[in-house]
Amino acid sequence: MTDIEHEFPGYNDKNKEFQKAKAYLLQSSTATGLNVYDHLSRVLGKILDERPDNVVDIFEDISKDCKRTKFTSDVDTIQDKVDRSTEVALAQIQRKLFTRVGEDGEEEVAQDEDVETPLPNLMELCFFFEQAAIGLNREEVVRIWLAMKNLVDNHPLQHVRFWGKILGTEQNYYVAEVEYREGDEEEDEEEEAKEAKEEDKDIDKDAGEEGEDEETEEDDIPKPDFKSPPVVPKEENRTGTNKKTYFVCNDPGKPWVKLPVVSPNQISAARQIKKYFTGRLDAPVVSYPPFPGNEANYLRAQIARISAGTHISPSGFYQFDEEEEEEEEGEGGRDHFVENIDFEGIPVRELADPSLSNWVHHVQHILPQGRCSWWNPVQKAEEDFEEDEEEEEREEPDEPEPEVGPPLLTPIAEDEEVGGMPAWTPTLSSQLISQFSVAVMHSNLWPGAHAFAIDKKFENIYIGYGHKYKPENYTPPNPPPIQEEFPSGPEITEADDPTPEEEAALRAAQQEAAEAEEMEEPEGDDDEDD
């Protein structure tokens, strides 16, 4: 026995009981994770610190206050999670634009490289557009340039330019116009070709199933002779409306998305509708006439239309290659030009002249068919010839007149007027200091399209909703007239029922005819016997 046990008999038993009691008080609750021992310690500590009067009367309130300070809710996340503002969320997305991820996955500070790059000098272009109060703020332009740099690092591009910004109801689209290096776009073309083949197979399967269903039907139902017109094929990559490739993103720092190629039927449908963009590429386009595709296809069609109507350059900056022979007009005319090395620039005063004779279009015009080069719908492929030999001979349709549009490098002075005013409005960025001013062109046909030129520099930009101006309010086209199911003829035309007198007269006539035939039959037999 120890000295303590001699002086205090039963000390060990009391010590054990105390340890058990303390262990019991330290048991945590399964609901809140708190225990009685810590809670009483906090309550007694608060009482000793504050020393209120009548502690016994307010002991329960003090206990509730201590519990309230440790309360955490699983439903209400106001105290657990900070609601980030849109600026903070966007800053976290754009943070990666200012850093470079190394091979080890660690962030590295971007360093300048003396390497040729297809990136444009956006800050210089921003400065010139600022002279005419056009464009975006400088902070936004820096972020766009960094986003385009990210695009160049991830794709084998030969040329990149900032096309513009299309405004949407939910989000906006930043559009980059690019050109792949020769040979590097073959993989994308093969993928698109495979997708097109799969679509054709699905169409053929559906047509085959419909044919089988028609064969199983035994009802003598008249079949229409109508044949749908041939589908106008889309132009190949690097030609016509698909000469350029476009990437879009909703904010600088978010991933770039490549837009699909555009087809003539999409351009024709886009000309008949007017829809605001939502900012979601997968959003459906609900309209009449129905649009063949989603918002990504509609956006691509509008970009093609805007580029064809608003991309202009000073006269003489581009020229046709003299080595190439001029193509025939029926084949669509020339579609290629080169930069004029000897171009010395046009004075700003002449560029801002209201005659508009010193500006030309350098993007091909889109024909009513939806293509830049006309396609003859009457021409037949080799497979069609084999099918036609088996079918009955039919009259060949008349040869349609080919559609012809203005050729490349046509002066903008020849553009049609818009609501009684010219298609373009020329201005100077400053009338006070004209020697340092910039010539600016504003499109009246596509509000939001602008161009500037000074010395040997020029650029085009579009910032708007992607809609064409019309003097009158937009009205959807009328639905087509109701077609007749079958042609009117004696086989399907209803007739009045005969009266009893008419039926009796018909029966009498039939009986007389039968008797006359019976009288003639014996005479014929006698002749044969003779």
Side-chain angles (χ1 to χ4, degrees):
M1 296 179 64
T2 59
D3 296 339
I4 297 176
E5 291 180 351
H6 282 292
E7 296 179 1
F8 302 98
Y11 172 79
N12 290 334
D13 296 337
K14 293 180 180 179
N15 189 21
K16 291 179 180 178
E17 292 179 0
F18 174 77
Q19 295 295 335
K20 290 181 180 179
K22 185 177 180 181
Y24 173 75
L25 295 176
L26 286 171
Q27 290 181 357
S28 299
S29 171
T30 57
T32 60
L34 304 177
N35 58 75
V36 179
Y37 187 87
D38 293 336
H39 177 65
L40 291 175
S41 300
R42 287 191 296 271
V43 172
L44 294 176
K46 186 174 182 180
I47 292 173
L48 294 175
D49 291 340
E50 298 179 357
R51 296 184 181 274
D53 298 333
N54 302 325
V55 179
V56 178
D57 300 333
I58 61 173
F59 183 83
E60 291 80 5
D61 297 335
I62 296 174
S63 177
K64 290 181 180 178
D65 293 339
C66 291
K67 285 186 177 181
R68 191 177 293 110
T69 57
K70 292 294 182 179
F71 174 76
T72 56
S73 174
D74 296 334
V75 179
D76 189 1
T77 59
I78 294 178
Q79 295 180 355
D80 297 339
K81 298 180 182 179
V82 179
D83 187 11
R84 298 182 303 173
S85 62
T86 55
E87 291 80 4
V88 174
L90 183 60
Q92 291 184 351
I93 294 174
Q94 297 177 350
R95 181 175 180 270
K96 60 184 179 181
L97 294 176
F98 299 89
T99 57
R100 180 183 300 171
V101 180
E103 297 179 356
D104 301 335
E106 299 180 356
E107 294 183 353
E108 301 176 356
V109 179
Q111 299 178 356
D112 296 336
E113 299 179 357
D114 297 335
V115 182
E116 293 184 1
T117 175
L119 289 171
N121 190 350
L122 275 186
M123 294 307 300
E124 183 183 14
L125 300 177
C126 175
F127 168 77
F128 287 118
F129 278 117
E130 278 183 351
Q131 307 307 309
I134 298 170
L136 309 173
N137 59 69
R138 297 188 181 184
E139 181 183 352
E140 191 173 5
V141 171
V142 171
R143 294 198 299 266
I144 293 172
W145 187 88
L146 292 173
M148 293 174 64
K149 184 177 183 298
N150 188 15
L151 179 65
V152 172
D153 294 340
N154 297 326
H155 298 274
L157 304 179
Q158 180 181 1
H159 179 263
V160 183
R161 64 177 291 267
F162 178 58
W163 185 89
K165 179 180 179 181
I166 291 185
L167 308 177
T169 57
E170 300 177 11
Q171 300 179 90
N172 302 323
Y173 289 116
Y174 295 86
V175 185
E177 183 183 85
V178 305
E179 288 185 13
Y180 281 89
R181 291 195 292 262
E182 294 184 0
D184 292 331
E185 200 179 4
E186 293 179 356
E187 297 180 359
D188 295 338
E189 292 178 358
E190 291 177 359
E191 292 178 0
E192 292 175 358
K194 289 180 181 178
E195 293 177 359
K197 289 181 180 179
E198 291 178 358
E199 293 178 359
D200 295 340
K201 288 181 181 178
D202 295 339
I203 294 172
D204 295 339
K205 287 181 181 178
D206 296 339
E209 292 176 358
E210 291 177 0
E212 293 176 359
D213 295 340
E214 291 177 358
E215 291 177 0
T216 55
E217 294 179 358
E218 298 180 358
D219 298 338
D220 296 335
I221 300 176
K223 297 180 180 179
D225 296 334
F226 172 77
K227 280 191 174 183
S228 59
V231 179
V232 180
K234 59 186 176 184
E235 295 175 298
E236 299 179 356
N237 289 349
R238 298 179 182 270
T239 59
T241 54
N242 295 316
K243 188 172 185 179
K244 305 288 185 179
T245 306
Y246 296 91
F247 285 83
V248 298
C249 67
N250 296 120
D251 279 308
K254 292 185 178 181
W256 290 95
V257 180
K258 182 181 177 183
L259 294 180
V261 294
V262 66
S263 60
N265 60 339
Q266 291 172 352
I267 293 179
S268 300
R271 286 170 168 166
Q272 303 179 53
I273 65 176
K274 180 174 273 191
K275 292 282 290 185
Y276 281 98
F277 293 96
T278 63
R280 294 179 287 107
L281 293 175
D282 58 347
V285 180
V286 181
S287 63
Y288 179 82
F291 183 81
N294 54 14
E295 187 165 299
N297 304 106
Y298 180 53
L299 176 62
R300 181 63 182 86
Q302 291 298 93
I303 289 175
R305 297 178 61 202
I306 295 171
S307 299
T310 63
H311 281 197
I312 58 177
S313 58
S315 179
F317 187 89
Y318 293 114
Q319 64 179 3
F320 294 113
D321 194 353
E322 297 178 356
E323 297 179 359
E324 296 182 357
E325 297 181 358
E326 186 174 358
E327 300 178 1
E328 297 179 1
E329 294 182 359
E331 297 179 358
R334 294 184 174 184
D335 60 352
H336 180 70
F337 51 80
V338 294
E339 187 175 342
N340 185 10
I341 303 175
D342 301 330
F343 179 72
E344 297 180 355
I346 301 175
V348 175
R349 287 287 183 182
E350 296 181 10
L351 289 172
D353 186 40
S355 63
L356 308 177
S357 59
N358 293 315
W359 293 84
V360 297
H361 290 277
H362 61 264
V363 175
Q364 285 183 285
H365 175 76
I366 301 178
L367 302 173
Q369 193 180 50
R371 291 167 53 99
C372 293
S373 58
W374 186 70
W375 177 78
N376 188 359
V378 177
Q379 62 185 1
K380 299 179 180 179
E382 296 179 358
E383 299 177 358
D384 297 338
F385 279 116
E386 296 177 0
E387 295 177 0
D388 291 341
E389 290 178 358
E390 298 176 358
E391 297 178 357
E392 298 179 358
E393 295 183 359
R394 298 180 179 178
E395 295 182 0
E396 296 183 357
D398 297 334
E399 188 75 16
E401 295 184 3
E403 298 175 356
V404 180
L408 270 176
L409 305 184
T410 300
I412 64 174
E414 299 181 8
D415 292 359
E416 296 182 0
E417 293 185 353
V418 182
M421 58 182 176
W424 295 88
T425 300
T427 58
L428 288 176
S429 61
S430 176
Q431 297 289 347
L432 300 176
I433 313 176
S434 58
Q435 61 269 28
F436 299 109
S437 61
V438 179
V440 185
M441 303 294 292
H442 307 276
S443 175
N444 296 323
L445 184 62
W446 291 94
H450 313 276
F452 86 89
I454 181 172
D455 296 333
K456 297 182 181 181
K457 297 178 182 178
F458 82 95
E459 188 54 82
N460 297 268
I461 194 172
Y462 179 84
I463 302 174
Y465 289 95
H467 291 165
K468 190 175 183 179
Y469 172 76
K470 288 187 177 181
E472 66 279 355
N473 293 331
Y474 170 74
T475 303
N478 295 325
I482 300 175
Q483 298 181 350
E484 297 181 357
E485 290 190 17
F486 307 104
S488 179
E491 298 178 355
I492 60 175
T493 303
E494 295 184 0
D496 297 334
D497 293 337
T499 60
E501 292 78 8
E502 294 175 348
E503 290 180 352
L506 178 60
R507 283 195 296 270
Q510 292 176 350
Q511 187 175 1
E512 291 178 0
E515 293 177 355
E517 290 178 359
E518 292 177 358
M519 296 293 292
E520 292 177 358
E521 286 179 359
E523 295 178 358
D525 295 339
D526 296 340
D527 294 339
E528 290 177 1
D529 296 336
D530 296 340

